[in-house]
Amino acid sequence: MASSSTVSGDVRRGARTPSAAPRVRRRLPAGPWLFAAPGLLITGVFILYPFVSTVVNSFTDRRTLIPGTFVGLANYRELLHDDMFWIGLRNSTLYVVGVVPALVLLPLLLALLVQKNIPGITFFRSAFYTPVVASIVVVGLIWVWLLDERGLVNSLLETVGVGRAGFLSDQWLLLLSAMAVTVWKGLGYYMIIYLAALANVPRELHEAASVDGAGAVRRFLTVTVPAVRSTMVLVGALSSVAAFKVFSEVYLMAGPDGGPAGEDTTLVMLVQRTGTGLTGRVGYASALSVVVFVVTVALMLLVLRADRKEDA
Amino acid sequence: MRISRRVLAAAAAVAVVLPLSACGSGNDGGGSTDASGKVEGDITFQTWNLRANFKEYFEGVIADFEKKYPDTHVKWVDQPAEGYADKISADAAGGTLPDVVNVSPDLVAPLAKAGLALDLDKSAAQYRKEYLDGAWAGHQVPGMTGTYAFPWYLNTGPLFYNKSLFEKAGLDASKPPTTYDDLFADALRLAQKTDGKVATLANVPTVEDFGRYGVELMNKEGTSFAFNDAKGIELLTKYKELYDAKALDPQALTATPESSGKKFLTGAVAMNPGSALDLGNFKKQAPSLYRNIGITDQITSTGKVNMYVMGVMVNSRTKHTPASVAFAHFVTDAQNQMSFAKKVAIFPSTAGSLDDPYFTKEDGSDETRVRIAAAKSLKNAVNYTPVLFSEQMKTALRNEVAKALQGKESPKTALDNAVKACDRLLQQQG
């Protein structure tokens, strides 16, 4: 035990074992591995294996019922020339740009609203949280009814003289509508995260700022925002990954084709459409999935890097 | 017990390399194609969203079969309509496809190509004469020899129209359109009279519409699509006129058959294709529409209406080929198809069944009128959807049609692009 701790201590300090030193065959005790085995097995079978399998498949022309052969980078080359890939990438990116700022800011404002312990506030907290627990299919259907050409929203717009809008038939309105649903459904979830963060902001800081004459807006900007900044980064990272991988909202509102002429297709919808069914192109869909993975990892790194720069 | 790093590394390597094995060739062997042995064994039968309404019927059929063949046991599983193809593809890829499966021709084609559907011309040729020729041919795959499913029930349907909407537009509700020209003229008039508030149709043209309009869908060899001919362009150009005039519902570009059916139910569109099954729905869900419902024949320029064909496929990997073939035949034989047809508005594919008085004798009700008209039209109906037309191809066509209707592409360019995309997908299917 003593020697192993010395070795790890040396490694921590950057020391190297002299090459002349006798090689010691290190063995790992089995006990911890046995305890970790169930978790490792589940991770291996349900996360690692599908991931590696997807990467491997992306280099083949595998189809649902036909194993396929190795085709090198052909799938990646093909997607560079696939219009639908670029449409999907555009829409997924627009989704991040449209949804993330709203999901970072609005839940924070909502959390500030419901933070105070006043009578009846629990009702509002629950009400704001309700969309989070509602099934996305139910939410999607309700919004489709509301935004239909003859739905409630269009009837109201017509009553006030604005006229009917093609929320479910116009390419851009459809995407915006789906974004609005995503924001509406996500508000409560991120509000809860912010409520936890706000509970840790020392009250004295607000009191001191008030004494110095700071108004509500200034207190928000100089006390609240810096105090919950790391939570905002977390919300930004989580929501940007979720937004880039959006599927259900757009699928339910735009239909399986991804809106008129497929113009509202997102990358994950494209993966689903390409890779499933009896004639699914599993190899090509895998290449698309790998791209989605790389972009989401890049997004996470970008957000975390921005956070680190702020800290520096 | 200690585990060396080498063992761990080896395990990790196996985990990484294991997926590569999936890229190997071929499928492991399978069951026999010989169906002449003793009918025995446990088999599984999968239907497509039929348990909810026909549980009793299927339990009866299974009980009769097990009585006839005491050494057999049939396990019945039913899958929901939504995602049925995905469920089959998951089972087929995972080697868990049931022994006897309810399929449509477009599902049979990839399964047959993957060697998972039993060729009935080899294993069950003696039953061929029991079915209508066209129905038997319904599960043949271009480029392959053989027939890969027993024909089961057929369906077709009339065109329903809302008489009160027709009257409001000054159209004679007793004279619905009978040709495409009439249809387009009436639709434009209806849109004009209602200031674009009532559309006549709620769906963009599908491959069946092109077929019914007289467009050649594929070349004779079945190796390439051909719906970008002059007739195809003409149809799409007319639909563009309808779309511009709001005679085609603005949400048609994203519509599904279900959503357009709902539009018809709520009176937002004046016409919708359907089947005798829909009459019951109208009666229950929209009584005021039901009172105003008009029924007319499918509009076709070829003289042949579109029909949908259902089949029952035998998994070529079944361990009990004689029992599976016997059961698939039993479910689809004349007696069982006839009794199924009397429970639901479908039509048997067995020879002579459509001559039964049930399909020929009027009793004055709407249901009977629709049934008799449909049965009559089925005698020379065509399944216009090409067997090789996959879901991905349907999407490609819909997307290009949408571009043409929006004016982003000319009808010719849109159809040329659709044919190009479908041909590419066809080649990729192998």
Side-chain angles (χ1 to χ4, degrees):
Chain A
M1 285 299 283
S3 67
S4 75
S5 69
T6 311
V7 169
S8 61
D10 286 347
V11 168
R12 269 203 303 275
R13 287 190 293 272
R16 285 172 186 229
T17 312
S19 56
R23 285 185 70 187
V24 180
R25 263 189 99 164
R26 282 173 294 175
R27 285 181 170 273
L28 302 171
W33 287 106
L34 286 177
F35 280 108
L40 285 173
L41 195 69
I42 290 170
T43 310
V45 171
F46 294 106
I47 296 172
L48 257 181
Y49 176 78
F51 174 74
V52 175
S53 178
T54 301
V55 175
V56 171
N57 279 331
S58 75
F59 297 107
T60 71
D61 60 356
R62 187 185 176 98
R63 277 164 280 154
T64 303
L65 301 177
I66 297 164
T69 50
F70 181 77
V71 293
L73 291 171
N75 289 326
Y76 293 93
R77 276 197 297 271
E78 186 182 337
L79 63 84
L80 290 177
H81 299 100
D82 182 353
D83 291 345
M84 283 315 296
F85 166 72
W86 291 109
I87 288 172
L89 187 64
R90 178 196 71 195
N91 290 333
S92 294
T93 309
L94 281 177
Y95 223 85
V96 174
V97 174
V99 160
V100 174
L103 279 179
V104 170
L105 200 61
L106 295 180
L108 176 59
L109 299 176
L110 207 59
L112 286 170
L113 272 178
V114 299
Q115 183 194 15
K116 295 185 174 61
N117 279 321
I118 53 173
I121 198 67
T122 319
F123 167 76
F124 287 100
R125 284 178 191 163
S126 310
F128 293 141
Y129 195 72
T130 306
V132 178
V133 289
S135 150
I136 184 64
V137 178
V138 175
V139 166
L141 286 176
I142 290 171
W143 279 95
V144 164
W145 292 334
L146 287 171
L147 298 173
D148 187 88
E149 202 80 11
R150 292 182 147 209
L152 182 70
V153 176
N154 264 323
S155 300
L156 287 173
L157 288 176
E158 198 169 38
T159 309
V160 297
V162 177
R164 291 171 189 268
F167 293 113
L168 301 179
S169 54
D170 177 81
Q171 173 194 341
W172 298 114
L173 274 178
L174 221 165
L175 202 62
L176 276 174
S177 304
M179 285 179 190
V181 173
T182 302
V183 171
W184 177 79
K185 191 164 167 31
L187 279 179
Y189 177 73
Y190 296 115
M191 176 193 81
I192 295 289
I193 296 178
Y194 279 127
L195 275 174
L198 287 172
N200 292 325
V201 180
R203 187 173 292 180
E204 299 77 37
L205 287 177
H206 278 284
E207 286 166 359
S210 291
V211 169
D212 286 346
V217 176
R218 178 156 282 242
R219 281 206 309 276
F220 172 72
L221 292 173
T222 56
V223 178
T224 309
V225 170
V228 297
R229 199 177 56 81
S230 56
T231 309
M232 289 171 84
V233 172
L234 172 73
V235 169
L238 291 176
S239 59
S240 52
V241 169
F244 193 77
K245 295 197 301 178
V246 66
F247 174 80
S248 308
E249 292 91 321
V250 185
Y251 185 88
L252 289 165
M253 298 178 78
D257 291 342
E263 287 287 352
D264 293 302
T265 303
T266 64
L267 271 185
V268 177
M269 281 175 80
L270 190 59
V271 171
Q272 185 266 347
R273 204 159 68 206
T274 313
T276 58
L278 284 159
T279 51
R281 295 181 63 205
V282 178
Y284 188 62
S286 298
L288 286 165
S289 306
V290 170
V291 172
V292 173
F293 171 75
V294 169
V295 176
T296 44
V297 168
L299 264 175
M300 288 285 282
L301 293 176
L302 208 71
V303 175
L304 296 174
R305 195 181 166 87
D307 184 39
R308 241 181 275 144
K309 265 190 181 168
E310 288 278 323
D311 283 339
Chain B
M1 191 176 81
R2 286 175 174 266
I3 302 169
S4 73
R5 289 193 175 199
R6 197 169 290 175
V7 171
L8 279 173
V14 167
V16 170
V17 171
L18 204 58
L20 284 165
S21 61
C23 298
S25 67
N27 307 298
D28 51 356
S32 162
T33 55
D34 182 11
S36 60
K38 192 181 175 206
V39 177
E40 61 181 359
D42 292 359
I43 57 169
T44 306
F45 169 48
Q46 178 174 294
T47 52
W48 189 344
N49 196 31
L50 292 171
R51 185 184 286 271
N53 295 319
F54 310 108
K55 186 169 180 271
E56 218 173 284
Y57 168 77
F58 282 103
E59 284 175 349
V61 170
I62 289 167
D64 289 347
F65 180 77
E66 288 174 346
K67 198 173 162 191
K68 189 175 174 185
Y69 300 103
D71 294 332
T72 60
H73 174 71
V74 179
K75 184 186 168 196
W76 175 34
V77 289
D78 187 66
Q79 297 295 342
E82 194 77 18
Y84 188 74
D86 291 335
K87 170 71 183 146
I88 287 190
S89 65
D91 279 340
T96 55
L97 197 65
D99 302 283
V100 180
V101 191
N102 177 186
V103 286
S104 55
D106 56 319
L107 294 182
V108 163
L111 290 168
K113 283 189 171 189
L116 291 169
L118 195 70
D119 179 0
L120 300 178
D121 283 340
K122 283 184 186 156
S123 306
Q126 71 272 28
Y127 300 124
R128 180 178 185 150
K129 59 185 181 302
E130 293 178 23
Y131 301 89
L132 296 170
D133 287 341
W136 186 264
H139 293 94
Q140 291 170 349
V141 182
M144 294 180 76
T145 53
T147 301
Y148 294 92
F150 282 102
W152 199 12
Y153 58 88
L154 311 173
N155 211 346
T156 186
L159 199 55
F160 291 111
Y161 65 100
N162 187 325
K163 283 183 186 169
S164 70
L165 293 178
F166 265 58
E167 280 157 6
K168 273 182 201 161
L171 297 167
D172 185 351
S174 64
K175 285 183 185 162
T178 54
T179 64
Y180 273 101
D181 285 341
D182 290 347
L183 172 69
F184 296 139
D186 286 357
L188 289 172
R189 176 147 185 197
L190 226 146
Q192 196 187 7
K193 284 278 179 186
T194 58
D195 212 13
K197 281 187 182 141
V198 176
T200 298
L201 300 170
N203 265 324
V204 297
T206 59
V207 74
E208 296 149 16
D209 292 302
F210 282 93
R212 240 184 339 231
Y213 194 69
V215 178
E216 208 63 54
L217 300 176
M218 289 190 93
N219 64 7
K220 286 195 174 65
E221 299 77 36
T223 53
S224 171
F225 289 93
F227 49 80
N228 56 341
D229 66 0
K231 220 150 174 50
I233 295 164
E234 184 183 291
L235 179 71
L236 192 50
T237 307
K238 285 186 175 171
Y239 262 91
K240 164 91 175 113
E241 281 171 35
L242 297 187
Y243 184 74
D244 289 343
K246 294 195 176 171
L248 186 64
D249 186 72
Q251 280 172 221
L253 304 189
T254 53
T256 59
E258 292 76 27
S259 66
S260 51
K262 268 182 206 144
K263 293 232 166 207
F264 182 67
L265 270 183
T266 56
V269 294
M271 295 190 96
N272 200 47
S275 71
L277 274 171
D278 293 311
L279 276 175
N281 282 345
F282 298 152
K283 209 184 276 189
K284 207 177 350 174
Q285 293 179 32
S288 59
L289 170 73
Y290 184 70
R291 281 192 292 277
N292 280 308
I293 204 79
I295 304 165
T296 185
D297 294 336
Q298 268 184 39
I299 292 172
T300 169
S301 298
T302 61
K304 293 175 180 180
V305 300
N306 183 55
M307 74 169 171
Y308 301 95
V309 187
M310 272 293 159
V312 176
M313 184 200 95
V314 175
N315 179 357
S316 63
R317 305 286 158 83
T318 178
K319 286 177 183 153
H320 304 288
T321 307
S324 298
V325 170
F327 183 72
H329 170 251
F330 190 77
V331 171
T332 60
D333 71 12
Q335 191 190 333
N336 279 319
Q337 283 212 48
M338 196 63 206
S339 73
F340 192 34
K342 286 184 177 173
K343 290 190 182 302
V344 62
I346 52 97
F347 302 90
S349 61
T350 37
S353 298
L354 291 173
D355 297 326
D356 188 282
Y358 184 71
F359 297 110
T360 56
K361 211 171 170 186
E362 288 273 8
D363 67 1
S365 69
D366 280 344
E367 282 87 348
T368 309
R369 189 157 68 85
V370 172
R371 184 170 65 236
I372 290 171
K376 203 172 152 191
S377 66
L378 270 175
K379 289 188 175 165
N380 67 349
V382 174
N383 176 19
Y384 283 109
T385 308
V387 171
L388 298 173
F389 207 65
S390 66
E391 280 305 315
Q392 284 87 355
M393 293 176 194
K394 286 176 192 167
T395 302
L397 175 60
R398 280 196 297 261
N399 285 349
E400 289 300 328
V401 164
K403 283 179 194 167
L405 296 182
Q406 289 173 313
K408 290 179 178 172
E409 283 175 356
S410 70
K412 184 181 180 332
T413 310
L415 289 181
D416 284 348
N417 287 343
V419 164
K420 217 161 96 182
C422 292
D423 280 347
R424 198 178 58 241
L425 287 164
L426 188 67
Q427 280 164 11
Q428 282 163 351
Q429 274 179 23

